[in-house]
């Protein structure tokens, strides 16, 4: 679908993408983590898109099997949610993914 | 109001009360903390009460100044949200509050 194509394009055109909701603390936490390590993700606030928000969430669920927020992609790859991203960071595995996504 | 009276009654009649939303991870985290330390809070899931949910949230905002979830009370006293409760626990200050609330 048109919406699916646009989600695929967002995810492949940007090194780091976070699908979020403005009032969700887990979404805020993952955005804050990226900020702390000097990364500026592309953030899509699903609750600010009107009816497209839930539609994009359905597309994300089809593409990733994950209906929850935050939904994180790095270098076009689906990473998961907040706990997944924080775990990768703690294990030292987030930085290499970010470096690869930024082509460095 | 009638609703305000019922919230005041819930909070004073039960040693530990958590106003929560079922799909919110911060609400889940604070419920899990209580479970880990063997406490069974009275949980009110605001998203399962139909139109009363947002009305109770407004009452909580009037009574506590806090419109967010989770909203935690111990021994009739307003504690705050997830980060506040976890902080008290880490500082060893949660247990004394719980003991006092349970009259032990
Ligand atoms: N472990 C996941 C939890 C994600 C999660 O449960 N997100 C909640 C908001 S905090 C959500 O999207 N809930 C909607 C639902 O469960 O339908 C993570 O760290 O991202
Ligand atoms: N630091 C607070 C954060 C509470 C918070 O922002 N809760 C969010 C859900 S995770 C909320 O109720 N958002 C609704 C809003 O901001 O209007 C806590 O630890 O409880
Ligand atoms: S909605 Fe509460 S942590 Fe996401």
């Amino acid at each position: 679908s048109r919406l699916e194509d646009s989600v695929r394009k967002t995810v492949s055109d940007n090194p780091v993408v976070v699908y979020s909701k403005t009032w969700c603390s887990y979404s805020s936490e993952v955005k804050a983590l990226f900020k702390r390590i000097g990364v500026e993700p592309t953030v899509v606030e699903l609750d600010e898109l009107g009816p497209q928000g839930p539609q994009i969430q359905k597309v994300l669920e089809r593409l990733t099997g994950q209906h929850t927020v935050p939904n994180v992609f790095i270098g076009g790859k689906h990473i998961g949610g907040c706990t997944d991203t924080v775990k990768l960071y703690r294990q030292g595995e987030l930085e290499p993914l970010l470096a690869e996504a930024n082509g460095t």
Side-chain angles (χ1 to χ4, degrees), chain A residues 76-97:
Chain A
K77 284 203 288 282
H78 178 235
I79 299 295
C82 175
T83 44
D84 307 303
T85 309
V86 168
K87 206 158 117 196
L88 284 174
Y89 176 63
R90 292 219 178 108
Q91 295 167 337
E93 290 175 20
L94 196 65
E95 257 94 353
L97 283 173

Side-chain angles (χ1 to χ4, degrees), chain A residues 10 12 29 33 49 78 104:
Chain A
T10 304
S12 59
E29 269 193 24
L33 169 62
L49 301 174
H78 178 235
T104 43

Side-chain angles (χ1 to χ4, degrees), chain A residues 23-26:
Chain A
W23 40 261
C24 163
S25 300
Y26 260 37

